[in-house]
Amino acid sequence: MGAHVHVRLIQSLGVTEDGELIEYSSCAECGATWVKKYPEGQVPAPD
């Protein structure tokens, strides 16, 4: 069995009461999930 490489897909986006952008993503292969926060005014750079 080969090494697994996570393939992250954005599931949804949200905004907190403080104005932070929240990105919810998961791996298309194994279903692992991540949550990433961006402070207000910070624009996420493409991966």
Side-chain angles (χ1 to χ4, degrees):
M1 182 179 228
H4 173 71
V5 176
H6 290 297
V7 179
R8 291 187 187 201
L9 299 175
I10 296 175
Q11 298 301 313
S12 66
L13 298 171
V15 178
T16 67
E17 292 179 4
D18 296 330
E20 294 179 319
L21 174 67
I22 302 176
E23 176 184 280
Y24 300 94
S25 57
S26 64
C27 178
E29 297 292 323
C30 70
T33 59
W34 298 269
V35 176
K36 188 170 183 179
K37 289 185 180 181
Y38 300 93
E40 183 178 5
Q42 180 184 354
V43 178
D47 290 339

